[in-house]
Every structure is written in C-alpha cells, then in structure tokens.
Amino acid sequence: MLRWVRQQLGFDPPHQSDTRTIYIANRFPQHGHYVPQKFADNRIISSKYTVWNFVPKNLFEQFRRVANFYFLIIFLVQLMIDTPTSPITSGLPLFFVITVTAIKQGYEDWLRHKADNEVNGAPVYVVRSGGLVKTRSKNIRVGDIVRVAKDETFPVDLVLLSSDRVDGSCHVTTASLDGETNLKTHVAVPETAVLQSVANLDKLVAVIECQQPEADLYRFVGRITVSQQTEEIVRPLGPESLLLRGARLKNTKEIFGVAVYTGMETKMALNYKSKSQKRSAVEKSMNSFLIIYLIILLFEAILSTILKYAWQAEEKWDEPWYNEKTEHERNSSKILRFISDFLAFLVLYNFIIPISLYVTVEMQKFLGSFFIGWDLDLYHEETNQRAQVNTSDLNEELGQVEYVFTDKTGTLTENEMQFRECSINGIKYQEVNGKLTPEGFTEDSPDGNRHSLMKEEELFLKAVCLCHTVQINADQTDGADGPWHANGIASPLEYYASSPDEKALVEAASRVGVVFTGTSGDSMEVKSLGKSERYKLLHVLEFDPNRRRMSVIVESPSGEKLLFTKGAESSILPRSKSGEIDKTRIHVDEFALKGLRTLCVAYRRFTPEEYQEIGKRLHEARTALQQREERLADVFNFIERDLELLGATGVEDKLQEKVQETIEALRLAGIKVWVLTGDKHETAVSVSLSCGHFHRTMNILELVQHKSDSTCAEQLRQLAKRIKEDHVIQHGLVVDGTSLSLALREHEKLFMEVCKNCSAVLCCRMAPLQKAKVVRLLKTSPEKPITLAIGDGANDVSMIQEAHVGIGIMGKEGRQAVRNSDYAIARFKFLSKLLFVHGHLYYIRIATLVQYFFYKNVCFITPQFLYQFFCLFSQQTLYDSVYLTLYNICFTSLPVLIYSLFEQHVHPHVLQSKPVLYRDISKNAHLGFKPFLYWTILGFFHAFVFFYGSYLLMGEDTSLLGNGQMFGNWTFGTLVFTVMVITVTMKMALETHFWTWINHFVTWGSIVFYFIFSLFYGGIIWPFLHTQDMYFVFVQLLSSGSAWFAIILIVVACLFLDVVKKVLYRHLQPTSTEKVQMYSNRVALSDEFIALQPLSRARNQLSKISLLRQVQVSTAWTPCAASQMGKQHAHLLEECWND
C-alpha cells in the first residue's frame, strides 16, 4: 500500500540494472531461482498530476514563488494575532491567484490525460497462446510479440522479428519523431526472418539482452540468442533492428516484433521535451524589484512601530481616557508587544508587494504567445508551416538579444544540394548536359562528346552509388524496365535520403550513366551504361560525427572484397596512401573557395585473410554489450586505413531567401552574428562572404590549424595587437575547432577579448558540444549578454538549449532542433520580424506592466502609511477592507493586462524597416535602475498628492457634506481611494499609444465599474457583513460638489507634471523611438496637414485616409499587424510622409 501511494505521488522510481533480459513471448526459464525483472507498463503519461497528488503538488509549486509564500505568511499572521485588517484582505487575493493558476494548470493537465487515454486505449494485436489476440495498447508487456500492419504506427519500441518479405526487411518513416520523411530500412536477423506465421513465432525460443532505455533515437545496443535444437545462435542487434514507437510502417504488408521498451521507457517518451527552465532578464529584474519593495515595507513597518512607542512615551497618549488598557495588557511583555505591533504594521502595509503581478504576467505571456503563431508574415506558404511557440516564458527576451549564434547548413542555406563539380584521379570534371566533362573541354572538343567512361571515372561513380544510405521509392516500377538512355539522362527512379548530399551525388551519378537501381536482400544493384552489376553488401560502417565518414564493404561480381569510403577531406586524406592526394587536396580547396560542400571518396581492396580478420573483429565489437561504441570505433579505424584515393565531390547548397538582408538588419540593430558550422574553413568563409556575414572591406583575422597551446596563445596576442592598431577598420574572425579547443583551455580571457572586438565571428569544423561551449562562454562572460542560438539539425540542439533563447528552423534535417527549441520558424529571414517586431513589442509591454504594477501599489499603500501620523500610529486602516481586497483584483487589473497584449508604441512595419530602433530597448533599458527609480518616485509623489491634496481640500472642513454631517475618516479614505483609482487608470491611458475598442472599454469601464460597485456596496445593508462602516458613505461623498472639485483638481495635479515631463523629454532628448513616434503623429493626416497641400494632392490624401480608416478597423485586433492590410496601412503612412 505504501509503495502504491509513493508511486502515485511520483516518489518511487523503479530500480534499474545496467542491462535488461527479455524472454520472447515471455517464456521464462523453468528453474526456480529465476526472478523476473520488473518493467514499466505500456501506458503513456504526459500529464503532470494525478487525482491524488494534484492539490499538494500544485500548492507546493505555487508557494515556491516568493510573493505567494510571503502573502501566505501575512495571512497566517492575520489569523494568529489581532491585526488592523481582516484576514480576508490577504486571504482572498491569495486564494484568487492560487485558484486561477491551479484551474489553468489543472485544465491543461486534464487535456493531457484525455489525449493519453486515447493513445493508451488504441487497439493492437499480440501473439498469445498460438493465436492473434486483440487488446489495448496499454496492455502490451515487455516480451510480447506484436503484429503491426501497413501504415500503422508502432505502439511500443519493437525489435523486428520478421516481415512479409523473405529477407525480413521493412520500410519505416520516422517523420513524427525526427521529421525525416525518407524511408528507413530495418532488417531482422536471419534466424527469425523466416518465421512469417503466428504458429512459427509461437514456437520461437529466444532471449534478447539489451541496454536500459535511453533517449537517443539513433542508438541501440543489444544481442539476441536464438535456441535452435541443440545450439544457440547469437546475433548483434543495433538501431537497424529497432522499430520506434510513433514511427509508421510503409511499403510493407505486416511485421512481427517483440516489445523491448514500453510506455514511458520508449525512446519517444524519453524525448518528451520538459518545459524550459530558462528565466528571462525581465523575470530577474522583477525579483530584484520585489526585494527592494520588501525592504521598503520592512522600513515602513519598523519606523511606524518605533514612532508609535515614541508617541506613547507621553502618559496622555499611552493610555487615553477613552481607551483604557486591561490588566493583562499592562502586564504583558514589552518585547512581545513590540513584535506584535511590528507584525500588525507589516500586515497594514503588505499590499505594497503586488500579489497579482505574477498571475498577470503569466496571463500576458500565455495569451501574447498566440500572436506569434497567428502572424501571417511568419507563415511559410511553400511548406505550410507557421511559427511555433514551445515556451511562452521568454517572449520579452526576444527584445533583448545581443548575440546570435547560427548554424550554416539548412539555416542560412536551403539544404538543397546540387552537384556542381568533382575531381577524379587528379582531374577536375563538370556536369555538362548529363555528361562528365573534364575542365576545359567542351562538347566540340575531341573528347567532349564521349559515350564511355574511363576506368577511374567508372570506379569513382560506382563508389558514389554504393557508399550511401539512399532508398528508392518502392511504389515506382522497377527502374530496369523503365525508359532508359545510354548516357543516363532520363532516369525513372526517385531517390529518398536522410542526407541531401547523398541524394545529390547518387542523382548526379545516374545522370552521367552509373545508376543505383535499388537493393534486394543483402545485394545492391548498379547499372553502368546499361549493364547491370550486383554487389553483395557485407558490412556497413555507419557515419558518425567523430569519424566524419561512412564506409561499406561489398563483394564485387568477380568475388573481390572492396571497401568504399566517403567523408570530409580531413578524415579521408590522412588515411590515404595512394592516388592523386596533392592534386585532390588543391581541388578540394578550390571547391571550398566557391562555397561548395566537399567530400572525398576512397577505396581499399581486401585479401581473403584481411577480410576474415575484419569480419571476426566486427562481430566481436557488434555483439559486445559494454562499451560497444568505443570498440566499434577502434575496429572502424583499423578497417579504414591504407586507402586509395579516388577523388572528391563539390556540391552547392543554395542560400535561403533574404539571408543577406536579415544579417545586415541584425548588425544595424546592434546584434553581433556568429556562424558556427561543421564545414570546411574555405567553404564556411565563402558562404559567410556571400551571405553578408563577412564584408569584402572587412579585415579577416584567422586562428586556424594550431596544434599547441603556445602557438595558439602567440597568434591570439598578435590578433589582439592588430585589432588595437587598426581599431577604425571592422574585423572578422575565423577560428576552427582544434584551435578553439586550445583557446578555451587556457586562454579563454584573451580569446574573448579578441572576439568581442570583432564585428563578425565564424567558427568552422565545430563539433556539436563545441557549439554549446562557445555559447556558454559568451553567456557567462562578465557582461552577461543575452544570447540566441538558431539551427535546424540534431547537431544544433546542444547550443539551442544552452542559449538564453533557442530557435529551431523547420528544415530538412529532422525535427530535433524544433522539438528542443523555445521558438520554431520556417526560414532564417523570419528572425528579423520575430526580434524587431514581436521581441520589441513584448519587451515594451511587459516592462511597462511590471513598472506600472509596482507604481500603482506604491500609490495604494503610501497614503495608508501617511495616515498613521494622523491617528497616533494606532494601526487604523485608511481604506475599507473590501477596497483593500479588490484594488488589485478588479479595479486596476484589466487596463494594464489589455495594454500588455495590444500595445504598439510604433507601427510594426516601421519597427521592422528600422532595425536601429531595437537599440533603444537593449540592455534591459526599460527595466534598469533609472526607470525603476522614476516609477517609484512617481508613485510616492502621486500618493503624497492624493493624501495631502484630499487633506488640505477636504480634511478639516466639517460641513462639506450636503446634509451638514461631519466629514469622517471613512469618507476621507474613500475620497483618497477614488482619486487614486482614477489617477492610476488615467496614467495607464497616458502610456497607451495604440487604442482599440477593447482598450477604451476596459480603461473607462474600470472607472465606471468602481463607481457602480461603490454605490451598490455602500447603498445596501449587506446581511453577511459584520460591520457596515461604508453604508451610504460613497453616496454622501458624491453628493458634495466640493468633493467632485477636489477629485478633478487632484487628478489633474498628479498627471500634469507627468505630461510636462513627457513633452519636455520628447522635444529636448528624444530617443530614436520617440522621433519615429513624433514623425508618425505628424503623418496622422490632420486637416491642417492636408490644407497645406495642392488641391490635387489633397484629394489623393483624402482617398488614402478613407482606406486608412478601413485598415485601422480591420487591424484593431491584430497586435502585430501581421496581415497584409496592416502593411498597407504602414506603406500609406510612409507615402504620405514622403509626399
């Protein structure tokens, strides 16, 4: 029972050993001492809470917030001691905030539960008792044999046992897991591949040993032991044997597989992205302000307590005749009385801490994030993809970015590869009209129109056609019977590949006459100039980022064992012992200078003895359960040596649209752009120049090919010296992966100094973890700049997660980057709109929201403090407890929330077209110490005007009420409160630049609501209230003409100085943003403006005004003016301005 309770509360994680043993069909050994391992069931749980733990877990999470915990303490103090205000004044707002947050989180979790139940209840078929049994997905156990039919998704992680094909292969698409739409081939081991019926599978006796679950989609280490009569056959299991939950079966009638990972232990579940724990600069500022206001609160409470006892030092004030102390009060401890009074004052002033700030900020972020998804300018029509928000906590951080770290391939480029050139045996070739033509030859040249391929050319193209992971669309007719030309111009085959480079190369080879026509079992078929050849695929040495190459071992039709290898020149050339190595190296550098992506191709022949040794080593490494990757890496290095170089390829990756304009806009906005890529040095520099990251006039500094600390340090010192000497010129820095490792090891400070003085930095030959290290280096530097990382592939995930803001590109390299990002966009060009418009507006909105909240609470509680000087510090409250409770919840909450959702202080089109405006908000400018001081002093000033204005105008006059009654303390307090509600609401109206009907409704509606509420609250005797202090107070107050005069005079006095300050600053020291606002106002097309125009132009302007008014109505609901109408509005303004 205790264990069940602990599991329900989420405190009892299952115990795990290093490996798991799975008995297929759950045929456990019969000997008595065997203890079965416990595995998770197949239920998917994406929800956060259960019925049992929702209340305690949710409350625990909410009270971890400083403000919520503070108000809980205040509420408990009010319950325990005699305080001037009712516990309801703190308890009700706290209850409201906690309840609203709990309802929101509970509803979201209920939706997750609902989705989980649909998935867990899906029908599946499993093999049990010699037949197929239909059951629910949640009932699948580890060890069950599951049948999956064509186009169905896999309900668990399965090891493939057999398919409807003789060779036991099947095709799978993992688009829902990693976004890759190509078909992946998975194969069963030969011993189980022949078991294609339920009856045969039911007789299978086999055991699988594999690693415990891990999140890596592409890693699986295991082995299967099949018992056949008297012998046991052991076969290795790798990623090619594992079918992942969420993937879909394609082009295969049905498969059978054994469940190895179930439920929350499947790789799909382990890859669920938890909510980002990143905190924005605004949130950090907010917490700092809270601490400052907490200090102000403590100071006011301590001062009031001290002054109370100083006042009571006089006998007549210590115990006045109308308030004699009891015997118990006279004999009570002075220390306890002091503490009690201090806590009472703390309760009285506690509203200076705005409890509703957090819930308002949460609502603003949550609702505001929808506008990014709704923005049509961030919608990519070709791919039907819109912007995606994975976390709404960082919206305002988009307006604070100082450094952008971007990947190159697929982010700045299209990741659409086109074959351009190649080098074969030291000769450069280009593709001309479907033929390989040596450089310098044309079709008119003697050798320019040949129909045959030389031996070296053919071997090179065969290597390209055999060393890859390309698949052919199985729905097509067989390429061998399709239309065919001898020179390969018309190929009917459609290729799919996870790597665009491989697809481009195989397609190029097919165009020039060597065609890969598909795989059949363990054979690969190649057609060379119409002649078909079948190669037996013996081993695949998979690509990995550390080796930077992939290889295949094949048996040629003549029986020869061959190794074909392709990869980066840095991993192939050092391992080559023959071939035109020097010439090829020169050609590779030339290709790179043109911005082409380069690969080198090599091969090796094996003797029978060598191949036998290789086969033995590979089998040992692949069947190892411990350190399999390390062992395989050693074996791969042993195999891929003594290569004969065949040549190199050059493939072009086209730049994305408007990349150059976007990078230039980022530079104008004061944002430094760093490109982090795994590409070759020359390729990366060429692309940087073409995309505008580097300018032709820029002085390019290099820190490359350093092998020792001393040379790296010396080069860094020289670069720092050059930058100081040529400080006028812009510098760009190029650094490679090896030099970067040395620089970060011992010369981090010097390296950072050089980087910060460069306008652009390019890091090439970067490993994924190096990208993250560079981001962390900048992020943790003394200036602590806000960083943004943007990429499209799995190799970019680490830097995306490391940066303050991570953005995924919905590209062709899967969805790992998108899943792990904070925001996702379809193209790099959308980054400018995301930062300069959405980021700018979100930051302005939330910065004003935070400052305004603190301002209105200073206005609210300071008169309470001042009132104590007039009531002998007796802790008498100035406001009624209902007003205390509803001030933040009802009377002043909506105008600022609507402002924070819809405000546009500058038109979005202007923000995007003038990136320099982004500088006005950089470095958290609107939440710095000066703005904070201004809003705080303004709050105190307004509070003094409210209190002393009311006191001087009304406080001492006893006959201002219409019926001649005295002007009591509740009337005085209500007058101060009325002035305050009107003033803080009008202050919000002064801050608003973009008025919609909703702004008008909530701004003026809040004031009207306050008056109506007060009339009802004070005009009726409420039976459930134990005191009726406010009965008829508000009605009597409004019956006095003097009171109306005082309200108007005090409100004007408060706001007049604020307006004067704004006007003076705008004209004497305007920021770039304020200049744009003033120009926009001049283009408001007033009558005077049109009157100055010639008649014909005035008519033209008037016709534009009518259109503008239509546009304004239609875009009132579009805060980011994402629609085309919003743009038209801005263009018309600009036209009128130019006129």
Side-chain angles (χ1 to χ4, degrees):
M1 180 67 184
L2 181 62
R3 177 175 179 144
W4 179 82
V5 171
R6 285 176 62 80
Q7 283 179 338
Q8 292 300 312
L9 293 172
F11 297 136
D12 194 16
H15 172 72
Q16 290 188 343
S17 59
D18 292 337
T19 60
R20 57 172 54 190
T21 304
I22 298 152
Y23 293 87
I24 293 179
N26 290 306
R27 298 180 194 281
F28 301 115
Q30 298 304 310
H31 49 79
H33 63 268
Y34 171 72
V35 179
Q37 286 178 283
K38 293 188 186 300
F39 302 117
D41 59 29
N42 199 38
R43 286 179 304 154
I44 284 290
I45 303 170
S46 63
S47 54
K48 192 175 180 180
Y49 306 106
T50 66
V51 174
W52 307 99
N53 71 12
F54 175 74
V55 173
K57 197 171 181 179
N58 187 266
L59 287 177
F60 174 73
E61 287 174 353
Q62 291 209 56
F63 283 118
R64 286 168 68 185
R65 283 189 163 165
V66 177
N68 289 354
F69 184 70
Y70 162 77
F71 268 87
L72 177 66
I73 297 297
I74 292 293
F75 176 63
L76 294 174
V77 167
Q78 285 179 292
L79 287 176
M80 288 187 292
I81 67 169
D82 183 22
T83 55
T85 56
S86 164
I88 294 172
T89 57
S90 293
L92 193 62
L94 179 64
F95 177 76
F96 173 77
V97 168
I98 296 294
T99 305
V100 167
T101 309
I103 289 170
K104 171 181 166 281
Q105 292 176 351
Y107 174 70
E108 288 173 351
D109 210 59
W110 176 75
L111 292 177
R112 286 192 285 266
H113 272 284
K114 195 175 170 185
D116 291 345
N117 291 337
E118 285 180 24
V119 172
N120 296 330
V124 292
Y125 288 91
V126 297
V127 177
R128 282 182 188 158
S129 307
L132 271 181
V133 178
K134 186 178 181 180
T135 184
R136 292 185 173 186
S137 173
K138 66 181 179 181
N139 297 327
I140 298 175
R141 298 169 297 171
V142 170
D144 280 347
I145 298 174
V146 182
R147 191 204 78 168
V148 180
K150 183 181 178 182
D151 291 327
E152 289 182 354
T153 56
F154 301 114
V156 288
D157 286 353
L158 301 165
V159 165
L160 180 61
L161 295 178
S162 66
S163 72
D164 63 323
R165 298 179 182 177
V166 181
D167 61 356
S169 67
C170 70
H171 293 297
V172 168
T173 174
T174 56
S176 62
L177 295 173
D178 58 13
E180 294 177 9
T181 54
N182 60 297
L183 297 180
K184 295 182 173 71
T185 304
H186 291 257
V187 289
V189 298
E191 286 72 25
T192 63
V194 295
L195 308 175
Q196 294 179 305
S197 67
V198 173
N200 288 336
L201 283 165
D202 196 49
K203 297 172 187 172
L204 173 66
V205 179
V207 180
I208 291 174
E209 293 172 272
C210 63
Q211 63 186 159
Q212 289 290 2
E214 64 168 43
D216 191 340
L217 295 174
Y218 309 105
R219 186 173 184 271
F220 178 66
V221 178
R223 65 182 172 212
I224 182 169
T225 306
V226 183
S227 301
Q228 289 187 343
Q229 296 160 359
T230 57
E231 64 172 334
E232 289 188 344
I233 300 168
V234 179
R235 296 283 184 186
L237 296 173
E240 72 284 347
S241 307
L242 188 68
L243 305 171
L244 300 177
R245 177 173 191 148
R248 191 179 292 273
L249 185 65
K250 289 285 186 183
N251 297 348
T252 311
K253 186 180 173 185
E254 66 175 11
I255 64 99
F256 289 94
V258 59
V260 288
Y261 303 132
T262 49
M264 296 310 291
E265 294 182 339
T266 57
K267 288 185 180 287
M268 182 185 79
L270 292 173
N271 273 279
Y272 281 157
K273 186 178 183 298
S274 59
K275 194 169 183 289
S276 173
Q277 296 301 307
K278 297 176 182 178
R279 290 172 66 221
S280 69
V282 168
E283 194 177 338
K284 291 170 188 171
S285 298
M286 211 160 73
N287 291 338
S288 303
F289 297 161
L290 271 175
I291 291 167
I292 292 169
Y293 274 85
L294 200 58
I295 292 167
I296 294 172
L297 169 67
L298 291 171
F299 171 75
E300 287 184 350
I302 292 168
L303 181 65
S304 298
T305 311
I306 292 168
L307 289 175
K308 177 180 180 177
Y309 283 93
W311 201 282
Q312 288 179 354
E314 291 184 47
E315 191 67 32
K316 62 176 180 177
W317 298 125
D318 182 36
E319 193 175 349
W321 59 269
Y322 55 84
N323 190 18
E324 290 187 7
K325 292 180 182 178
T326 62
E327 196 64 35
H328 174 71
E329 287 175 331
R330 288 195 186 108
N331 298 328
S332 61
S333 166
K334 287 186 178 180
I335 294 172
L336 287 177
R337 270 190 292 156
F338 185 90
I339 293 170
S340 176
D341 284 326
F342 168 73
L343 291 174
F345 280 116
L346 205 63
V347 167
L348 193 63
Y349 305 145
N350 79 82
F351 284 94
I352 197 169
I353 306 293
I355 186 173
S356 54
L357 173 61
Y358 277 114
V359 76
T360 309
V361 166
E362 259 195 27
M363 288 171 70
Q364 190 270 345
K365 288 183 175 184
F366 175 70
L367 296 172
S369 63
F370 287 107
F371 297 132
I372 292 176
W374 292 338
D375 191 340
L376 294 178
D377 285 348
L378 301 182
Y379 170 72
H380 192 244
E381 200 168 350
E382 291 170 31
T383 55
N384 190 30
Q385 289 170 328
R386 59 179 190 168
Q388 185 178 314
V389 179
N390 295 330
T391 174
S392 59
D393 293 343
L394 302 169
N395 293 342
E396 65 278 3
E397 204 80 331
L398 293 169
Q400 294 297 296
V401 175
E402 295 170 64
Y403 283 86
V404 167
F405 298 91
T406 175
D407 177 41
K408 182 183 76 67
T409 307
T411 305
L412 300 179
T413 62
E414 287 284 5
N415 207 6
E416 282 182 6
M417 310 300 175
Q418 290 184 328
F419 175 79
R420 288 289 178 235
E421 295 182 64
C422 66
S423 169
I424 304 173
N425 200 32
I427 301 169
K428 271 207 289 188
Y429 290 82
Q430 291 178 329
E431 186 188 352
V432 179
N433 295 330
K435 290 186 285 292
L436 269 187
T437 308
E439 192 177 47
F441 285 86
T442 63
E443 289 195 22
D444 302 326
S445 305
D447 292 338
N449 198 16
R450 356 173 243 159
H451 290 281
S452 62
L453 292 167
M454 293 168 61
K455 183 184 173 185
E456 295 87 353
E457 296 169 356
E458 190 175 0
L459 184 60
F460 174 83
L461 293 170
K462 282 179 182 175
V464 167
C465 284
L466 292 169
C467 186
H468 58 71
T469 57
V470 175
Q471 300 291 331
I472 293 174
N473 188 351
D475 295 333
Q476 289 182 293
T477 54
D478 186 7
D481 301 326
W484 185 255
H485 295 292
N487 62 2
I489 292 173
S491 169
L493 298 173
E494 188 179 353
Y495 296 110
Y496 293 95
S498 54
S499 165
D501 298 76
E502 288 190 338
K503 184 184 176 190
L505 292 173
V506 172
E507 285 175 341
S510 73
R511 290 195 297 270
V512 297
V514 180
V515 186
F516 168 62
T517 56
T519 57
S520 175
D522 58 356
S523 296
M524 299 178 78
E525 195 169 320
V526 174
K527 191 173 282 187
S528 178
L529 298 176
K531 181 187 171 187
S532 188
E533 294 179 4
R534 193 178 289 270
Y535 288 80
K536 186 178 181 183
L537 182 62
L538 302 172
H539 298 285
V540 177
L541 280 58
E542 297 84 1
F543 175 87
D544 69 65
N546 297 321
R547 281 168 47 245
R548 296 179 66 81
R549 58 185 180 273
M550 81 157 285
S551 304
V552 292
I553 301 175
V554 296
E555 185 180 325
S556 69
S558 62
E560 201 174 11
K561 307 290 192 299
L562 299 171
L563 168 82
F564 289 111
T565 303
K566 76 170 190 297
E569 93 289 342
S570 59
S571 67
I572 300 290
L573 295 181
R575 297 181 163 272
S576 302
K577 69 169 186 178
S578 59
E580 296 289 346
I581 297 173
D582 293 333
K583 286 184 180 178
T584 305
R585 183 179 277 114
I586 292 167
H587 290 166
V588 165
D589 290 343
E590 289 175 4
F591 295 163
L593 285 170
K594 295 176 184 177
L596 303 181
R597 289 166 63 85
T598 58
L599 286 172
C600 286
V601 182
Y603 84 114
R604 178 185 174 186
R605 299 175 195 274
F606 293 122
T607 63
E609 294 78 19
E610 285 175 331
Y611 177 71
Q612 194 174 357
E613 171 71 12
I614 284 165
K616 182 184 170 188
R617 288 195 179 201
L618 274 173
H619 181 73
E620 286 175 359
R622 282 188 164 141
T623 53
L625 281 180
Q626 303 296 329
Q627 297 181 323
R628 181 182 289 187
E629 283 84 358
E630 291 84 349
R631 293 187 186 189
L632 279 173
D634 292 339
V635 177
F636 289 173
N637 285 328
F638 173 75
I639 296 169
E640 297 164 330
R641 60 193 175 93
D642 301 333
L643 303 174
E644 186 174 335
L645 187 64
L646 291 172
T649 60
V651 176
E652 183 184 36
D653 190 4
K654 195 170 63 174
L655 274 180
Q656 282 189 22
E657 186 188 3
K658 293 190 176 176
V659 165
Q660 193 163 357
E661 292 91 329
T662 306
I663 289 177
E664 186 56 36
L666 291 171
R667 190 174 282 120
L668 286 171
I671 298 170
K672 289 190 176 181
V673 180
W674 288 34
V675 176
L676 311 181
T677 177
D679 268 352
K680 196 173 183 298
H681 170 208
E682 291 82 4
T683 307
V685 170
S686 175
V687 172
S688 276
L689 285 166
S690 62
C691 73
H693 179 234
F694 284 167
H695 287 300
R696 298 284 172 189
T697 56
M698 199 178 271
N699 183 21
I700 308 296
L701 309 173
E702 292 190 348
L703 183 69
V704 293
Q705 296 179 346
H706 288 284
K707 298 289 193 299
S708 68
D709 277 340
S710 56
T711 59
C712 182
E714 181 58 35
Q715 179 68 8
L716 276 170
R717 280 190 283 270
Q718 287 181 11
L719 294 178
K721 188 179 176 184
R722 275 183 70 182
I723 290 170
K724 282 180 183 175
E725 290 171 356
D726 304 333
H727 61 277
V728 180
I729 308 169
Q730 279 194 328
H731 298 281
L733 176 68
V734 183
V735 57
D736 63 8
T738 53
S739 304
L740 182 74
S741 299
L742 294 170
L744 296 185
R745 196 182 301 164
E746 290 183 14
H747 316 293
E748 196 175 286
K749 194 174 177 183
L750 187 58
F751 176 69
M752 282 305 302
E753 187 187 331
V754 171
C755 288
K756 285 178 182 174
N757 289 316
C758 292
S759 304
V761 178
L762 168 65
C763 300
C764 54
R765 285 286 185 241
M766 297 281 283
L769 283 176
Q770 280 185 314
K771 292 184 177 185
K773 277 183 183 176
V774 170
V775 176
R776 193 182 308 126
L777 183 68
L778 257 294
K779 198 171 98 171
T780 56
S781 64
E783 294 81 10
K784 293 195 168 27
I786 303 299
T787 57
L788 179 147
I790 179 168
D792 72 318
N795 60 333
D796 303 315
V797 169
S798 53
M799 78 166 178
I800 284 172
Q801 290 179 328
E802 183 63 47
H804 291 96
V805 182
I807 296 184
I809 296 281
M810 301 166 188
K812 297 181 175 64
E813 287 193 21
R815 286 289 184 275
Q816 297 98 316
V818 170
R819 284 205 322 268
N820 288 281
S821 64
D822 303 306
Y823 301 89
I825 52 179
R827 286 292 180 270
F828 183 79
K829 66 177 180 180
F830 295 152
L831 187 62
S832 60
K833 177 83 185 271
L834 195 65
L835 298 186
F836 303 152
V837 178
H838 289 284
H840 195 123
L841 293 177
Y842 282 135
Y843 177 74
I844 291 292
R845 291 165 184 168
I846 202 162
T848 308
L849 181 150
V850 170
Q851 301 277 31
Y852 176 78
F853 248 93
F854 285 110
Y855 152 79
K856 72 186 180 77
N857 278 51
V858 168
C859 289
F860 179 39
I861 219 66
T862 305
Q864 183 88 284
F865 172 67
L866 297 174
Y867 184 59
Q868 297 307 303
F869 288 88
F870 291 83
C871 67
L872 300 183
F873 295 93
S874 61
Q875 297 151 8
Q876 168 64 38
T877 177
L878 177 63
Y879 315 120
D880 182 69
S881 59
V882 171
Y883 286 159
L884 279 170
T885 306
L886 298 183
Y887 175 75
N888 277 317
I889 295 176
C890 297
F891 300 145
T892 59
S893 59
L894 274 180
V896 68
L897 177 62
I898 296 302
Y899 168 92
S900 67
L901 290 174
F902 296 115
E903 172 63 1
Q904 293 179 24
H905 63 304
V906 178
H907 195 280
H909 180 70
V910 177
L911 284 176
Q912 191 166 3
S913 60
K914 296 186 182 298
V916 72
L917 298 179
Y918 194 81
R919 292 173 184 254
D920 281 359
I921 59 165
S922 62
K923 306 275 187 190
N924 206 8
H926 288 250
L927 278 175
F929 183 70
K930 281 186 179 178
F932 169 71
L933 199 61
Y934 164 71
W935 279 93
T936 304
I937 291 171
L938 185 70
F940 280 114
F941 167 70
H942 283 182
F944 273 80
V945 175
F946 300 154
F947 185 84
Y948 287 109
S950 301
Y951 179 73
L952 292 171
L953 289 172
M954 309 282 288
E956 295 184 349
D957 196 327
T958 56
S959 60
L960 281 178
L961 294 181
N963 59 3
Q965 285 185 345
M966 288 183 66
F967 201 87
N969 72 307
W970 292 118
T971 314
F972 176 74
T974 306
L975 174 65
V976 173
F977 193 83
T978 304
V979 169
M980 177 170 59
V981 169
I982 296 171
T983 305
V984 297
T985 307
M986 291 295 291
K987 172 62 181 168
M988 190 75 262
L990 281 176
E991 295 298 316
T992 304
H993 296 89
F994 185 75
W995 285 90
T996 65
W997 68 266
I998 308 176
N999 292 79
H1000 284 291
F1001 179 76
V1002 298
T1003 301
W1004 316 122
S1006 292
I1007 297 172
V1008 171
F1009 172 75
Y1010 164 70
F1011 276 87
I1012 293 171
F1013 173 84
S1014 298
L1015 287 169
F1016 271 91
Y1017 172 57
I1020 298 171
I1021 295 177
W1022 301 97
F1024 53 83
L1025 293 176
H1026 64 278
T1027 59
Q1028 297 288 301
D1029 295 330
M1030 295 299 293
Y1031 181 66
F1032 240 66
V1033 167
F1034 197 71
V1035 177
Q1036 289 177 339
L1037 178 69
L1038 296 188
S1039 68
S1040 167
S1042 302
W1044 281 103
F1045 175 74
I1047 291 169
I1048 294 167
L1049 190 64
I1050 295 168
V1051 170
V1052 171
C1054 282
L1055 297 176
F1056 177 73
L1057 287 177
D1058 198 37
V1059 172
V1060 169
K1061 179 255 175 190
K1062 277 180 177 290
V1063 171
L1064 288 175
Y1065 264 80
R1066 275 173 172 269
H1067 284 83
L1068 298 177
Q1069 289 182 329
T1071 62
S1072 305
T1073 306
E1074 287 168 345
K1075 286 176 186 175
V1076 168
Q1077 287 173 340
M1078 285 190 283
Y1079 284 130
S1080 299
N1081 291 338
R1082 288 180 199 172
V1083 192
L1085 306 177
S1086 61
D1087 293 338
E1088 295 84 2
F1089 177 78
I1090 295 175
L1092 297 172
Q1093 312 294 319
L1095 187 60
S1096 59
R1097 289 175 71 187
R1099 275 201 207 104
N1100 186 29
Q1101 299 289 10
L1102 284 167
S1103 66
K1104 287 176 181 175
I1105 290 173
S1106 63
L1107 180 56
L1108 275 174
R1109 282 175 181 155
Q1110 294 172 22
V1111 171
Q1112 282 172 329
V1113 171
S1114 67
T1115 57
W1117 264 95
T1118 315
C1120 294
S1123 66
Q1124 295 305 315
M1125 294 292 280
K1127 279 189 179 178
Q1128 198 175 359
H1129 178 188
H1131 283 308
L1132 285 170
L1133 279 174
E1134 285 193 342
E1135 268 188 65
C1136 298
W1137 188 352
N1138 294 334
D1139 285 344

